[in-house]
Amino acid sequence: MKLTEHLVVRMGKTTRDSVASFVVSDQNKLHELIDLVSSGTKPQRMKGSWVLSSVHTIDSEVLVPYHDQLLTMLRLETIGGVRRELLRCFEGARLNNTVADGLVVIAMDWVTDEAQDLAVRYICYRVLKPLLKQYPELEVELQQQVEYYRSKFGRFP
């Protein structure tokens, strides 16, 4: 199975789930998928990140060794949909302190950035909420931002 044949614009959930199941069981395909998300064409990066978040849903432990690489990709990413799906790869995952700290920095910046897609800000909030238990001052700041968005947009998250 060549991943590039499947990571196309009209790829649906059935294909995504099938590719994700295959990738979970094949380390080489996981490397290939991460490489495509990092440096493929725009459709490959968008669909690949969607598959990657599905891999995380199937087995979150598979991506733990790649968290540093995924965090670096997240820092450099410019496409909102790819950011959203990469952030989902960290939701509820077992994180080491370095990755958790880096994720807090990125997510705190994006959750307070009105230029970010609402979906990205929402996922940032979901990722941050459990992480901020150890940073009470940041938790207060996050709550202030949530209140601001609620007053401005009516509902967040």
Side-chain angles (χ1 to χ4, degrees):
M1 170 191 275
K2 280 194 78 153
L3 292 180
T4 54
E5 294 173 6
H6 298 283
L7 303 180
V8 294
V9 173
R10 298 209 185 279
M11 181 179 90
K13 285 183 180 182
T14 304
T15 303
R16 178 204 61 189
D17 294 343
S18 171
V19 172
S21 294
F22 180 73
V23 167
V24 164
S25 64
D26 187 336
Q27 198 69 20
N28 291 327
K29 290 299 177 187
L30 181 59
H31 286 285
E32 184 182 343
L33 178 62
I34 291 172
D35 287 344
L36 283 169
V37 173
S38 177
S39 59
T41 65
K42 186 177 177 179
Q44 288 171 343
R45 290 174 51 230
M46 291 174 73
K47 297 304 181 178
S49 64
W50 192 35
V51 171
L52 203 55
S53 70
S54 183
V55 166
H56 170 75
T57 302
I58 293 169
D59 183 0
S60 62
E61 290 298 311
V62 170
L63 295 179
V64 170
Y66 302 96
H67 279 169
D68 287 324
Q69 186 177 358
L70 295 175
L71 194 60
T72 300
M73 290 164 53
L74 193 56
R75 281 187 193 106
L76 300 173
E77 189 53 59
T78 58
I79 299 170
V82 177
R83 284 180 174 176
R84 179 189 67 235
E85 297 304 326
L86 287 175
L87 283 164
R88 285 185 176 163
C89 293
F90 293 99
E91 265 190 301
R94 179 176 50 89
L95 305 173
N96 67 40
N97 289 340
T98 306
V99 171
D101 291 347
L103 194 55
V104 166
V105 169
I106 290 170
M108 279 301 288
D109 183 41
W110 288 352
V111 80
T112 59
D113 181 2
E114 291 184 45
Q116 286 297 327
D117 297 346
L118 186 59
V120 171
R121 288 186 275 155
Y122 180 70
I123 296 295
C124 285
Y125 176 79
R126 287 188 2 203
V127 167
L128 280 170
K129 197 65 176 150
L131 290 175
L132 292 184
K133 301 267 185 258
Q134 54 192 309
Y135 303 106
E137 66 282 359
L138 292 177
E139 194 167 15
V140 169
E141 183 180 337
L142 178 61
Q143 251 343 95
Q144 289 171 341
Q145 286 299 318
V146 168
E147 292 305 317
Y148 169 72
Y149 288 125
R150 283 185 182 148
S151 69
K152 189 171 181 176
F153 302 112
R155 193 181 86 121
F156 183 87

Coordinates of all heavy atoms in Angstrom, one line a residue, residues 43-112:
P43 N -2.4 18.7 0.0 CA -3.4 17.7 0.3 C -2.9 16.5 1.1 O -3.5 16.0 2.0 CB -3.9 17.2 -1.1 CG -3.6 18.3 -2.0 CD -2.3 19.0 -1.4
Q44 N -1.6 16.1 0.8 CA -1.0 15.0 1.5 C -0.8 15.3 3.0 O -1.1 14.5 3.9 CB 0.3 14.6 0.9 CG 0.2 13.9 -0.4 CD 1.5 13.7 -1.1 OE1 2.5 14.4 -0.8 NE2 1.6 12.8 -2.1
R45 N -0.4 16.6 3.3 CA -0.2 17.0 4.6 C -1.5 17.1 5.4 O -1.6 16.7 6.5 CB 0.5 18.4 4.6 CG 2.0 18.2 4.1 CD 2.7 19.5 4.0 NE 2.7 20.3 5.1 CZ 2.3 21.6 5.1 NH1 2.0 22.2 4.0 NH2 2.3 22.3 6.2
M46 N -2.5 17.6 4.7 CA -3.8 17.7 5.4 C -4.4 16.4 5.7 O -4.9 16.1 6.8 CB -4.8 18.6 4.5 CG -4.3 20.1 4.5 SD -5.3 21.1 3.3 CE -6.8 21.2 4.3
K47 N -4.5 15.5 4.7 CA -5.1 14.2 4.9 C -4.2 13.3 5.7 O -4.7 12.5 6.5 CB -5.3 13.5 3.5 CG -6.3 14.3 2.6 CD -7.7 14.5 3.4 CE -8.6 15.2 2.5 NZ -9.9 15.4 3.1
G48 N -2.9 13.5 5.6 CA -2.0 12.7 6.4 C -2.1 13.0 7.9 O -2.0 12.1 8.7
S49 N -2.3 14.3 8.2 CA -2.4 14.7 9.6 C -3.7 14.1 10.1 O -3.8 13.7 11.3 CB -2.3 16.2 9.8 OG -3.4 16.8 9.1
W50 N -4.8 14.1 9.3 CA -6.0 13.5 9.7 C -5.9 12.0 10.0 O -6.4 11.5 11.0 CB -7.0 13.7 8.5 CG -8.5 13.5 8.8 CD1 -9.1 13.7 10.0 CD2 -9.5 12.9 7.9 NE1 -10.5 13.4 9.9 CE2 -10.7 12.9 8.6 CE3 -9.4 12.5 6.6 CZ2 -11.9 12.5 8.0 CZ3 -10.6 12.1 6.0 CH2 -11.8 12.0 6.7
V51 N -5.1 11.3 9.2 CA -4.8 9.9 9.4 C -4.0 9.7 10.7 O -4.3 8.9 11.5 CB -4.1 9.2 8.2 CG1 -3.6 7.8 8.6 CG2 -5.0 9.2 7.0
L52 N -3.0 10.6 10.9 CA -2.2 10.6 12.1 C -3.0 10.7 13.4 O -2.8 10.0 14.3 CB -1.1 11.7 12.0 CG 0.2 11.5 12.8 CD1 0.8 10.1 12.4 CD2 1.1 12.6 12.5
S53 N -4.0 11.7 13.4 CA -4.8 11.8 14.6 C -5.7 10.6 14.8 O -6.0 10.2 15.9 CB -5.6 13.1 14.5 OG -6.6 13.0 13.5
S54 N -6.0 9.9 13.7 CA -6.8 8.7 13.8 C -5.9 7.5 14.3 O -6.4 6.7 15.1 CB -7.4 8.3 12.4 OG -8.2 7.1 12.5
V55 N -4.6 7.5 14.0 CA -3.7 6.6 14.5 C -3.6 6.8 16.0 O -3.7 5.8 16.8 CB -2.3 6.8 13.9 CG1 -1.2 6.0 14.7 CG2 -2.3 6.3 12.4
H56 N -3.6 8.0 16.5 CA -3.6 8.3 17.9 C -4.8 7.8 18.6 O -4.8 7.3 19.7 CB -3.4 9.9 18.1 CG -3.6 10.3 19.5 ND1 -2.7 10.1 20.5 CD2 -4.7 10.9 20.1 CE1 -3.2 10.6 21.6 NE2 -4.4 11.1 21.4
T57 N -6.0 8.0 17.9 CA -7.2 7.5 18.5 C -7.2 6.0 18.6 O -7.7 5.4 19.6 CB -8.4 7.9 17.6 OG1 -8.4 9.3 17.5 CG2 -9.7 7.4 18.1
I58 N -6.7 5.3 17.7 CA -6.6 3.8 17.7 C -5.6 3.3 18.8 O -6.0 2.4 19.6 CB -6.2 3.2 16.3 CG1 -7.3 3.5 15.3 CG2 -5.8 1.7 16.4 CD1 -6.8 3.2 13.9
D59 N -4.4 3.9 18.9 CA -3.4 3.5 19.8 C -2.5 4.7 20.1 O -1.6 5.0 19.4 CB -2.6 2.3 19.3 CG -1.6 1.8 20.3 OD1 -1.5 2.4 21.5 OD2 -0.9 0.8 20.0
S60 N -2.8 5.5 21.2 CA -2.0 6.7 21.5 C -0.6 6.4 21.8 O 0.3 7.2 21.6 CB -2.7 7.5 22.6 OG -2.7 6.7 23.8
E61 N -0.3 5.2 22.2 CA 1.1 4.8 22.6 C 2.0 4.7 21.4 O 3.2 4.9 21.5 CB 1.1 3.5 23.4 CG 0.6 3.6 24.8 CD 1.3 4.6 25.7 OE1 2.6 4.5 25.7 OE2 0.6 5.4 26.3
V62 N 1.5 4.5 20.2 CA 2.3 4.4 19.0 C 3.0 5.7 18.7 O 4.1 5.6 18.2 CB 1.4 4.0 17.8 CG1 2.1 4.1 16.5 CG2 0.8 2.6 18.0
L63 N 2.4 6.8 19.0 CA 3.0 8.1 18.6 C 3.9 8.7 19.7 O 4.6 9.6 19.5 CB 1.9 9.1 18.3 CG 1.0 8.8 17.1 CD1 0.0 9.9 16.9 CD2 1.9 8.7 15.8
V64 N 3.9 8.1 20.9 CA 4.7 8.6 22.0 C 6.2 8.8 21.6 O 6.8 9.9 21.9 CB 4.6 7.8 23.3 CG1 5.6 8.2 24.3 CG2 3.2 7.9 23.8
P65 N 6.9 7.9 20.9 CA 8.3 8.1 20.5 C 8.5 9.2 19.5 O 9.6 9.7 19.4 CB 8.7 6.8 19.9 CG 7.7 5.7 20.3 CD 6.4 6.5 20.6
Y66 N 7.4 9.7 18.9 CA 7.5 10.7 17.9 C 7.0 12.1 18.4 O 6.9 13.0 17.6 CB 6.6 10.3 16.7 CG 7.1 9.0 16.1 CD1 6.4 7.8 16.4 CD2 8.2 8.9 15.2 CE1 6.9 6.6 15.9 CE2 8.6 7.7 14.7 CZ 7.9 6.6 15.1 OH 8.4 5.4 14.6
H67 N 6.7 12.2 19.7 CA 6.1 13.4 20.2 C 7.1 14.6 20.0 O 6.6 15.7 19.6 CB 5.8 13.3 21.7 CG 4.5 12.7 21.9 ND1 4.1 12.3 23.2 CD2 3.5 12.3 21.1 CE1 2.9 11.7 23.1 NE2 2.5 11.8 21.8
D68 N 8.4 14.4 20.1 CA 9.3 15.6 19.9 C 9.2 16.0 18.4 O 9.2 17.2 18.1 CB 10.7 15.2 20.2 CG 11.0 15.1 21.7 OD1 10.4 15.9 22.5 OD2 11.7 14.2 22.2
Q69 N 9.2 15.1 17.5 CA 9.1 15.4 16.1 C 7.8 16.0 15.8 O 7.8 17.0 15.0 CB 9.3 14.1 15.3 CG 9.4 14.3 13.8 CD 9.7 13.0 13.0 OE1 9.8 12.0 13.6 NE2 9.7 13.1 11.7
L70 N 6.7 15.5 16.3 CA 5.4 16.1 16.1 C 5.3 17.5 16.6 O 4.7 18.4 16.0 CB 4.3 15.2 16.7 CG 4.1 13.9 16.1 CD1 3.1 13.1 16.8 CD2 3.7 14.0 14.6
L71 N 5.9 17.8 17.8 CA 5.9 19.1 18.4 C 6.7 20.1 17.5 O 6.3 21.2 17.3 CB 6.6 19.0 19.8 CG 6.4 20.2 20.7 CD1 4.9 20.5 20.9 CD2 7.1 20.0 22.0
T72 N 7.8 19.6 16.9 CA 8.6 20.5 16.0 C 7.8 20.8 14.7 O 7.7 21.9 14.3 CB 9.9 19.8 15.6 OG1 10.7 19.5 16.8 CG2 10.7 20.6 14.6
M73 N 7.1 19.8 14.2 CA 6.2 20.0 13.1 C 5.1 21.0 13.4 O 4.8 21.8 12.6 CB 5.6 18.6 12.6 CG 6.6 17.7 12.0 SD 6.0 16.0 11.8 CE 4.5 16.1 11.0
L74 N 4.6 20.9 14.6 CA 3.5 21.7 15.0 C 4.0 23.2 15.1 O 3.2 24.1 14.6 CB 3.0 21.3 16.4 CG 1.7 21.9 16.9 CD1 0.5 21.6 15.9 CD2 1.4 21.2 18.2
R75 N 5.2 23.4 15.6 CA 5.7 24.8 15.6 C 5.8 25.4 14.3 O 5.7 26.6 14.1 CB 7.1 24.7 16.3 CG 7.1 24.6 17.8 CD 8.5 24.8 18.3 NE 8.6 24.4 19.7 CZ 9.1 23.3 20.1 NH1 9.6 22.4 19.3 NH2 9.0 23.0 21.4
L76 N 6.2 24.6 13.3 CA 6.5 25.1 11.9 C 5.2 25.2 11.0 O 5.3 25.8 10.0 CB 7.5 24.2 11.3 CG 8.9 24.2 12.0 CD1 9.8 23.2 11.3 CD2 9.5 25.5 12.0
E77 N 4.1 24.5 11.4 CA 3.0 24.4 10.6 C 2.2 25.7 10.4 O 2.1 26.5 11.3 CB 2.0 23.3 11.2 CG 0.9 23.0 10.3 CD 1.3 22.6 8.9 OE1 2.1 21.6 8.8 OE2 0.9 23.2 7.9
T78 N 1.7 25.9 9.2 CA 1.0 27.1 8.9 C -0.5 26.9 8.5 O -1.3 27.8 8.5 CB 1.6 27.9 7.7 OG1 1.7 27.0 6.6 CG2 3.1 28.4 8.0
I79 N -0.8 25.6 8.2 CA -2.2 25.3 7.8 C -3.0 24.9 9.0 O -2.6 24.1 9.8 CB -2.2 24.1 6.8 CG1 -1.4 24.5 5.5 CG2 -3.6 23.7 6.4 CD1 -1.1 23.3 4.6
G80 N -4.1 25.6 9.2 CA -4.9 25.5 10.4 C -5.4 24.0 10.6 O -5.4 23.5 11.7
G81 N -5.9 23.4 9.5 CA -6.4 22.0 9.6 C -5.3 21.0 10.0 O -5.5 20.1 10.8
V82 N -4.1 21.2 9.6 CA -3.0 20.4 9.9 C -2.6 20.6 11.4 O -2.4 19.7 12.2 CB -1.7 20.6 9.0 CG1 -0.6 19.7 9.5 CG2 -2.1 20.2 7.6
R83 N -2.6 21.9 11.8 CA -2.4 22.2 13.2 C -3.4 21.5 14.1 O -3.0 20.9 15.1 CB -2.5 23.7 13.4 CG -1.3 24.5 13.0 CD -1.5 26.0 13.2 NE -0.3 26.7 12.9 CZ -0.2 28.0 12.9 NH1 -1.2 28.8 13.2 NH2 1.0 28.6 12.6
R84 N -4.6 21.6 13.7 CA -5.7 21.0 14.5 C -5.5 19.5 14.7 O -5.5 19.0 15.8 CB -7.0 21.2 13.9 CG -8.2 20.6 14.6 CD -9.5 20.7 13.8 NE -9.4 19.9 12.6 CZ -9.6 20.3 11.4 NH1 -10.0 21.6 11.1 NH2 -9.5 19.5 10.4
E85 N -5.2 18.8 13.6 CA -5.0 17.3 13.7 C -3.7 17.0 14.4 O -3.7 16.0 15.1 CB -5.0 16.7 12.3 CG -6.3 16.9 11.5 CD -7.5 16.4 12.3 OE1 -7.4 15.4 13.0 OE2 -8.6 17.0 12.1
L86 N -2.7 17.7 14.3 CA -1.4 17.5 15.0 C -1.7 17.7 16.5 O -1.2 16.9 17.3 CB -0.3 18.3 14.5 CG 0.3 18.0 13.2 CD1 1.4 19.0 12.8 CD2 0.9 16.6 13.2
L87 N -2.4 18.7 16.9 CA -2.8 18.9 18.3 C -3.5 17.7 18.8 O -3.3 17.3 20.0 CB -3.6 20.2 18.5 CG -2.8 21.5 18.4 CD1 -3.7 22.7 18.2 CD2 -1.9 21.7 19.7
R88 N -4.4 17.2 18.0 CA -5.2 16.0 18.5 C -4.3 14.8 18.8 O -4.7 13.9 19.6 CB -6.2 15.6 17.4 CG -7.4 16.6 17.4 CD -8.5 16.1 16.4 NE -9.6 17.0 16.5 CZ -10.5 17.1 15.6 NH1 -10.5 16.4 14.6 NH2 -11.5 18.0 15.8
C89 N -3.2 14.8 18.2 CA -2.2 13.7 18.5 C -1.7 13.7 19.9 O -1.0 12.7 20.3 CB -1.1 13.7 17.5 SG -1.6 13.3 15.8
F90 N -1.9 14.8 20.6 CA -1.4 15.0 22.0 C -2.5 14.9 23.0 O -2.2 14.8 24.2 CB -0.7 16.3 22.1 CG 0.6 16.4 21.3 CD1 0.6 17.1 20.1 CD2 1.8 15.9 21.8 CE1 1.8 17.2 19.4 CE2 3.0 16.0 21.0 CZ 2.9 16.7 19.8
E91 N -3.7 14.9 22.6 CA -4.9 14.8 23.5 C -4.9 13.6 24.3 O -4.9 12.5 23.8 CB -6.2 14.9 22.7 CG -6.7 16.3 22.6 CD -8.1 16.3 22.1 OE1 -8.3 15.8 21.0 OE2 -9.0 16.8 22.8
G92 N -4.8 13.7 25.6 CA -4.9 12.6 26.5 C -3.7 11.6 26.4 O -3.8 10.5 27.0
A93 N -2.6 12.0 25.8 CA -1.5 11.2 25.6 C -0.5 11.3 26.8 O -0.6 12.3 27.6 CB -0.7 11.6 24.3
R94 N 0.3 10.3 27.0 CA 1.3 10.3 28.0 C 2.5 11.2 27.5 O 3.1 10.9 26.4 CB 1.8 8.9 28.2 CG 2.9 8.7 29.2 CD 3.2 7.2 29.5 NE 3.4 6.5 28.2 CZ 4.6 6.3 27.6 NH1 5.7 6.9 28.1 NH2 4.7 5.6 26.5
L95 N 2.7 12.3 28.2 CA 3.7 13.3 27.7 C 4.9 13.4 28.7 O 4.6 13.4 29.9 CB 3.1 14.6 27.5 CG 1.9 14.7 26.6 CD1 1.3 16.1 26.7 CD2 2.2 14.4 25.2
N96 N 6.1 13.4 28.2 CA 7.2 13.7 29.1 C 7.2 15.3 29.4 O 6.5 16.0 28.7 CB 8.5 13.3 28.5 CG 9.0 14.0 27.3 OD1 8.8 15.2 27.2 ND2 9.6 13.3 26.3
N97 N 7.9 15.7 30.3 CA 7.9 17.1 30.8 C 8.3 18.1 29.7 O 7.7 19.1 29.5 CB 8.8 17.3 32.0 CG 8.2 16.7 33.2 OD1 7.0 16.4 33.3 ND2 9.0 16.4 34.2
T98 N 9.3 17.7 28.9 CA 9.8 18.6 27.8 C 8.7 18.8 26.8 O 8.4 19.9 26.3 CB 11.0 18.0 27.1 OG1 12.0 17.7 28.1 CG2 11.6 18.9 26.1
V99 N 8.1 17.7 26.3 CA 7.0 17.8 25.4 C 5.8 18.6 25.9 O 5.2 19.4 25.3 CB 6.5 16.4 24.9 CG1 5.3 16.5 24.0 CG2 7.7 15.8 24.1
A100 N 5.4 18.3 27.2 CA 4.3 19.0 27.8 C 4.6 20.5 27.9 O 3.7 21.3 27.6 CB 4.1 18.4 29.2
D101 N 5.8 20.9 28.3 CA 6.1 22.3 28.4 C 6.1 23.0 27.0 O 5.5 24.0 26.9 CB 7.5 22.5 29.0 CG 7.6 22.1 30.5 OD1 6.5 21.9 31.1 OD2 8.7 22.0 31.0
G102 N 6.6 22.3 26.0 CA 6.5 22.8 24.6 C 5.1 23.0 24.1 O 4.8 23.9 23.5
L103 N 4.3 22.0 24.4 CA 2.9 22.0 24.0 C 2.2 23.1 24.7 O 1.3 23.8 24.1 CB 2.3 20.6 24.3 CG 0.9 20.3 23.7 CD1 1.0 20.5 22.2 CD2 0.5 18.9 24.1
V104 N 2.4 23.4 26.0 CA 1.8 24.5 26.7 C 2.2 25.8 26.1 O 1.3 26.6 25.9 CB 2.2 24.4 28.2 CG1 1.8 25.7 28.9 CG2 1.5 23.3 28.9
V105 N 3.4 26.0 25.7 CA 3.8 27.2 25.1 C 3.1 27.5 23.8 O 2.6 28.6 23.6 CB 5.4 27.3 24.9 CG1 5.8 28.4 24.0 CG2 6.1 27.3 26.2
I106 N 3.1 26.5 23.0 CA 2.4 26.6 21.7 C 0.9 26.9 21.9 O 0.3 27.8 21.3 CB 2.6 25.4 20.8 CG1 4.1 25.3 20.3 CG2 1.7 25.4 19.6 CD1 4.4 24.0 19.7
A107 N 0.3 26.0 22.6 CA -1.2 26.1 22.8 C -1.6 27.4 23.5 O -2.7 27.9 23.1 CB -1.7 24.8 23.6
M108 N -0.9 27.8 24.5 CA -1.2 29.1 25.1 C -1.2 30.3 24.2 O -2.0 31.2 24.2 CB -0.3 29.4 26.4 CG -0.7 28.6 27.6 SD -2.4 28.9 28.2 CE -2.2 30.6 28.9
D109 N -0.2 30.2 23.3 CA 0.0 31.3 22.3 C -1.2 31.2 21.3 O -1.8 32.2 21.0 CB 1.3 31.1 21.5 CG 1.5 32.2 20.5 OD1 1.2 33.4 20.8 OD2 2.0 31.9 19.4
W110 N -1.6 30.0 20.8 CA -2.6 29.9 19.8 C -4.0 30.1 20.4 O -4.9 30.6 19.7 CB -2.5 28.5 19.1 CG -1.3 28.4 18.2 CD1 -0.5 29.4 17.8 CD2 -0.9 27.3 17.5 NE1 0.5 29.0 17.0 CE2 0.3 27.6 16.8 CE3 -1.3 26.0 17.5 CZ2 1.0 26.7 16.0 CZ3 -0.6 25.0 16.8 CH2 0.6 25.4 16.0
V111 N -4.3 29.6 21.6 CA -5.6 29.8 22.2 C -6.0 31.2 22.4 O -7.1 31.6 22.4 CB -5.7 28.9 23.5 CG1 -5.1 29.7 24.7 CG2 -7.2 28.6 23.7
T112 N -5.0 32.1 22.5 CA -5.2 33.5 22.7 C -5.1 34.3 21.4 O -5.1 35.5 21.5 CB -4.2 34.1 23.8 OG1 -2.9 33.9 23.3 CG2 -4.4 33.4 25.1

